Amino acid sequence: MNSQSALGPGTPYPLGATLKSGGVNFALFSAHAEKVELCLFDQAEGGQETRIELPECTNQVWHGFIPGIQPGQLYGYRVYGPYAPDQGHRFNPHKLLLDPYAKAIGRPLKEWDASLFGYNLEDEALDLSFNDQDSSAHAPLGMVVDPHFDWDGDTPPETPWHRTIIYELHVKGFTQKLTSLPENLRGTYAGLASDEAMDYLKKLGVTAVELLPVHHHLDDSFLQERGLTNYWGYNTLSYFAFEPTYASTPDPHAAMHEFKGMVKRLHEAGIEVILDVVYNHTAESSERGPTLSFRGVDNASYYRLSQEHPRYYEDFTGCGNTLTMENPSGLRLLMDSLRYWVTEMHVDGFRFDLASALARELYGWNKLSSFFDAIGQDPVLSTVKLIAEPWDIGMGGYQVGNFPTGWAEWNGRYRDEVRRCWKGNDRANELSKRLSGSADLYNHSGRGPHASVNFITAHDGFCLRDLVTYNDKHNEANLEDSRDGANDNESWNCGHEGETEDPQIQALRLRQAKNLLATLFLSQGVPMMLAGDERWHTQQGNNNAYCQDNDISWLSWDLDATATEMVEFTRQLIALRQEQPVLARKNFLMGQALEEGQPKDVIWWNPEGREMNEADWDAGFTRCFGMWLPGSTLREIGRNHQPRTSDSVFVLMNAHFEDVNVTLPQADGAPWQLRLATTELKLDKRARKTPQLACPSRSLAVFISKRAAS
């Protein structure tokens, strides 16, 4: 149905559907379009479509004001222009398009249908053909929203980087099995905001949750054909709309309030909200993918196209396409989206998936790219937490340590070297660099140890239990014959591949897991742990559970004895880190005094009872050593630069397969007390300051020497 309602020219900004007095302003960017129709839909199933041609185009933005429109209105666009794939244009007005700036999804994609593709799937010419099937019965629709929410004085925690402890979790998987919640609240934003979940997070001691993608995403057609879903959500279709399936209600307005209420509740508990965001590619995939939004709105402006053959996409993500940050429209989309989530949804930061792809310009990755410049000068975004996954799959994409000031990075070097050292496959001098904050990677341009986000495991790869249990991936449930997922493990010499009832093997695995977890929280930098590692969760050897929306991914709240032990051990680690300032400094550990009259910031200790020297570091595989952090009054640690007195901390690590006799250093305060150990350890409790002990193989222990407050 075609009709023209009474309408005004409206304004070109802001982009999207903006509720105003008496109606709604609609604005859509398209540099190469010839005409744009706004399509309004009734709420009824298969509702009637009303098309309204947007009357104005200002600076490549098509816009119009439609009086009488109310919140809840469903809408999409039809965009007219050349269908010339060889020139990079894929306009097709037979395809109903989701507004790239839609704030809510009023109707998700119903099912994969041939009409959703701009070309004829059966045509021999593939994407060069033109499909005139109408997609409106199947395409996703946006919804006009009223953004009002009573934040009631919500205040972001603004936790300093050096006090930050990140907990990476999936909104659904975290509470899906929390049976104390009503069934409709499990696996939802409201479930994460529940008293039970809040109490757990607070007792654990984490200061930030890093949520796997909550932008609206699609389930890939090939997964649906296998009866699977894109559980992780790294297949974004909308960068402004939240994922509606994580809400306890189907009503988009109520769901938006639920998301905001979750953020507000977390803030009240002193916990920041960091979003894992996927601006590197979209769910429209390669040239053979569907035409759902960006491709049909302005393919050449939103995507990186091959300069030699614009029919094809430059793909640095392995997902078929890459959004362009070279074109102002792509960069504006990213910036507007980020600001929206900070200002309207009150989130505290972002982790950028495959962030290297966003900094690619004409000649490859560029530290001085417009992407970094735009964020660095932005008065809103430059003040929130920015975390990069500093790699993509393209040539020169591995950029660990090379991001600019203001950015933190997932430190892949940390993960790899800590794993190797505890396997006994690497020298301690490599581990000492990671324990010290990775100055070799980040000590430039004003960056500090907080630039290093340290992790042992993450959603991608083995979880902690599986890391010490399996030598090989077991991804059979993904129905790809285990060809998927990186081979990211080697033998941990724990005596058996896979689960076993042998108590000795179980004990050794648990000890190695504790060693890894303890190393994480005793290292300078920002620790990030994977939700479930502290509960001894297993994914049954699956190291790529992106499509497993089931018990493989969901966390159990019915904890057995081992899980309970791990939770308590993790709580102790976090509490230790928070109470001892020398474990979380603003400066790298450099083996020197920061201020005159103060001791060295770190002393590396030889088990023989002396400071390590160059010969020790170079003497083959040094697998047992100590990290002595002398106590001092640290002005750079406290909030508002108030001095805090720290006890002395001595961390003893033995990655060797044999016990090692160790003499501890001379305590500079009260006698050493055993604070924490990953296995049973006997310490002479007599009041002497240089105790000796046999450090068990593959173990870690922490000793404290109390100092009087100054």
Side-chain angles (χ1 to χ4, degrees):
M1 163 178 169
N2 290 288
S3 71
Q4 194 73 18
S5 299
L7 73 158
T11 60
Y13 302 105
L15 293 172
T18 305
L19 191 65
K20 294 191 174 183
S21 177
V24 174
N25 188 81
F26 291 89
L28 178 76
F29 166 83
S30 183
H32 300 98
E34 297 167 355
K35 183 175 76 171
V36 174
E37 288 178 339
L38 170 68
C39 305
L40 305 177
F41 287 80
D42 295 342
Q43 288 282 356
E45 183 74 17
Q48 187 177 30
E49 177 185 354
T50 300
R51 301 185 190 180
I52 303 171
E53 182 177 344
L54 293 182
E56 298 285 338
C57 183
T58 305
N59 297 330
Q60 302 177 331
V61 175
W62 302 77
H63 54 94
F65 179 80
I66 316 299
I69 300 294
Q70 299 292 322
Q73 174 67 57
L74 304 182
Y75 76 102
Y77 288 105
R78 297 181 187 271
V79 182
Y80 295 75
Y83 188 80
D86 283 333
Q87 300 173 36
H89 299 305
R90 296 180 177 271
F91 293 101
N92 187 335
H94 301 286
K95 310 306 160 190
L96 186 70
L97 305 174
L98 180 69
D99 180 4
Y101 279 70
K103 303 302 190 301
I105 303 300
R107 185 187 76 185
L109 187 147
K110 291 189 173 182
E111 60 180 348
W112 286 104
D113 186 82
S115 66
L116 296 169
F117 294 78
Y119 63 95
N120 296 312
L121 292 176
E122 305 302 324
D123 197 293
E124 291 183 2
L126 296 175
D127 62 297
L128 295 179
S129 62
F130 185 79
N131 184 348
D132 61 3
Q133 292 179 281
D134 192 285
S135 68
S136 60
H138 303 278
L141 296 175
M143 194 186 84
V144 176
V145 298
D146 181 351
H148 176 73
F149 179 78
D150 183 9
W151 285 102
D152 190 27
D154 174 64
T155 303
E158 296 184 342
T159 306
W161 268 117
H162 68 285
R163 303 284 288 174
T164 297
I165 295 172
I166 300 173
Y167 190 70
E168 187 194 34
L169 65 83
H170 189 286
V171 169
K172 180 175 183 179
F174 188 62
T175 62
Q176 183 64 28
K177 298 179 73 174
L178 183 51
T179 55
S180 61
L181 291 179
E183 188 171 356
N184 71 307
L185 297 186
R186 299 173 198 167
T188 67
Y189 303 123
L192 181 53
S194 66
D195 289 343
E196 294 89 339
M198 286 293 150
D199 183 62
Y200 180 84
L201 292 172
K202 287 192 292 185
K203 286 183 178 179
L204 192 61
V206 298
T207 70
V209 290
E210 184 173 301
L211 307 181
L212 267 66
V214 295
H215 288 165
H216 175 55
H217 71 274
L218 298 186
D219 291 326
D220 315 70
S221 58
F222 74 89
L223 288 177
Q224 287 194 352
E225 291 169 1
R226 299 173 186 167
L228 302 171
T229 64
N230 193 313
Y231 171 70
W232 285 350
Y234 290 90
N235 199 35
T236 305
L237 182 63
S238 175
Y239 294 109
F240 291 83
F242 53 88
E243 175 53 47
T245 60
Y246 299 157
S248 64
T249 170
D251 176 65
H253 270 111
M256 176 178 281
H257 282 208
E258 184 176 326
F259 182 94
K260 292 180 177 180
M262 174 195 71
V263 174
K264 180 180 175 182
R265 188 81 196 280
L266 284 161
H267 283 179
E268 289 172 350
I271 298 173
E272 294 183 306
V273 179
I274 298 171
L275 301 187
D276 194 334
V277 288
V278 192
Y279 293 104
N280 54 74
H281 75 280
T282 78
E284 290 184 307
S285 189
S286 70
E287 69 278 357
R288 298 189 183 186
T291 297
L292 303 172
S293 182
F294 307 94
R295 176 172 287 135
V297 171
D298 195 340
N299 185 64
S301 292
Y302 279 118
Y303 291 116
R304 290 183 65 109
L305 306 181
S306 168
Q307 294 187 46
E308 295 80 14
H309 305 287
R311 170 185 173 186
Y312 303 107
Y313 297 87
E314 290 188 329
D315 181 11
F316 299 108
T317 66
C319 300
N321 63 56
T322 305
L323 279 176
T324 180
M325 296 298 113
E326 292 182 274
N327 191 304
S329 59
L331 185 58
R332 176 173 60 189
L333 171 79
L334 179 145
M335 296 294 291
D336 287 349
S337 170
L338 292 173
R339 278 191 294 263
Y340 171 78
W341 287 94
V342 174
T343 59
E344 293 294 327
M345 309 298 265
H346 285 209
V347 305
D348 305 283
F350 305 93
R351 178 265 186 187
F352 292 79
D353 181 66
L354 298 181
S356 292
L358 300 173
R360 285 186 177 272
E361 294 189 334
L362 183 61
Y363 299 106
W365 193 87
N366 184 1
K367 184 176 179 178
L368 302 177
S369 69
S370 55
F371 165 69
F372 290 131
D373 288 343
I375 289 181
Q377 62 77 45
D378 190 275
V380 174
L381 301 179
S382 61
T383 64
V384 301
K385 287 183 167 67
L386 303 171
I387 304 171
E389 182 183 33
W391 49 77
D392 62 25
I393 69 167
M395 184 177 295
Y398 190 79
Q399 295 293 333
V400 171
N402 291 331
F403 276 65
T405 303
W407 284 80
E409 304 172 24
W410 272 25
N411 189 345
R413 290 274 299 276
Y414 179 94
R415 172 199 59 203
D416 298 342
E417 289 171 12
V418 170
R419 288 185 181 188
R420 281 197 294 264
C421 284
W422 277 112
K423 290 176 188 176
N425 294 347
D426 214 343
R427 292 188 297 179
N429 60 346
E430 291 300 319
L431 180 57
S432 69
K433 295 175 186 176
R434 306 307 143 224
L435 291 167
S436 301
S438 296
D440 57 324
L441 301 176
Y442 302 110
N443 191 15
H444 61 84
S445 304
R447 306 182 82 186
H450 63 262
S452 177
V453 175
N454 301 327
F455 66 106
I456 306 295
T457 59
H459 67 275
D460 190 1
F462 284 109
C463 60
L464 185 61
R465 177 174 176 176
D466 292 358
L467 180 67
V468 298
T469 301
Y470 295 91
N471 298 333
D472 301 300
K473 60 187 178 181
H474 293 269
N475 298 356
E476 292 82 6
N478 297 357
L479 304 181
E480 297 182 44
D481 296 324
S482 282
R483 294 187 303 270
D484 64 302
N487 290 309
D488 67 342
N489 207 4
E490 303 170 13
S491 173
W492 277 75
N493 299 313
C494 290
H496 181 83
E497 150 71 25
E499 297 289 348
T500 178
E501 297 298 322
D502 187 314
Q504 289 186 322
I505 294 176
Q506 289 180 343
L508 178 55
R509 289 174 178 172
L510 184 63
R511 189 194 316 170
Q512 285 284 49
K514 287 182 176 181
N515 290 336
L516 292 165
L517 202 58
T519 303
L520 176 66
F521 287 105
L522 297 170
S523 300
Q524 303 298 317
V526 180
M528 184 194 77
M529 69 173 299
L530 173 64
D533 280 353
E534 83 285 5
R535 303 189 203 181
W536 208 225
H537 174 70
T538 177
Q539 294 179 174
Q540 303 165 30
N542 193 320
N543 76 344
N544 188 34
Y546 78 104
C547 56
Q548 298 301 321
D549 189 3
N550 49 49
D551 283 349
I552 289 176
S553 301
W554 301 341
L555 303 186
S556 174
W557 290 77
D558 185 13
L559 306 184
D560 61 17
T562 302
T564 301
E565 178 182 343
M566 281 292 287
V567 169
E568 182 56 32
F569 181 75
T570 305
R571 287 175 178 167
Q572 291 179 28
L573 279 171
I574 294 175
L576 174 62
R577 180 181 178 89
Q578 297 290 43
E579 73 187 33
Q580 296 297 338
V582 292
L583 295 175
R585 304 191 69 156
K586 291 183 178 179
N587 300 97
F588 297 105
L589 300 181
M590 304 299 287
Q592 59 191 26
L594 290 179
E595 299 179 14
E596 187 176 352
Q598 293 285 338
K600 290 182 179 180
D601 51 14
V602 62
I603 298 171
W604 302 105
W605 196 251
N606 187 298
E608 296 175 358
R610 57 178 173 78
E611 185 173 358
M612 297 273 282
N613 55 41
E614 291 299 323
D616 293 326
W617 292 122
D618 295 335
F621 287 89
T622 305
R623 297 189 180 105
C624 182
F625 69 102
M627 179 178 69
W628 179 15
L629 305 174
S632 59
T633 301
L634 301 173
R635 299 184 182 278
E636 45 100 3
I637 288 294
R639 288 179 180 270
N640 302 318
H641 301 285
Q642 294 299 312
R644 294 180 63 193
T645 297
S646 174
D647 299 328
S648 291
V649 177
F650 183 76
V651 181
L652 179 59
M653 301 181 180
N654 182 14
H656 199 38
F657 58 84
E658 295 180 339
D659 296 357
V660 176
N661 292 322
V662 177
T663 299
L664 271 63
Q666 175 75 35
D668 56 358
W672 292 113
Q673 295 181 355
L674 179 63
R675 178 68 166 76
L676 178 146
T678 61
T679 190
E680 184 177 352
L681 188 67
K682 294 182 179 179
L683 175 67
D684 188 345
K685 295 183 179 180
R686 290 178 295 174
R688 58 178 184 170
K689 293 192 173 184
T690 56
Q692 294 182 333
L693 58 96
C695 183
S697 64
R698 299 190 181 103
S699 70
L700 179 149
V702 181
F703 302 88
I704 301 295
S705 174
K706 291 287 186 181
R707 290 173 59 91
S710 58

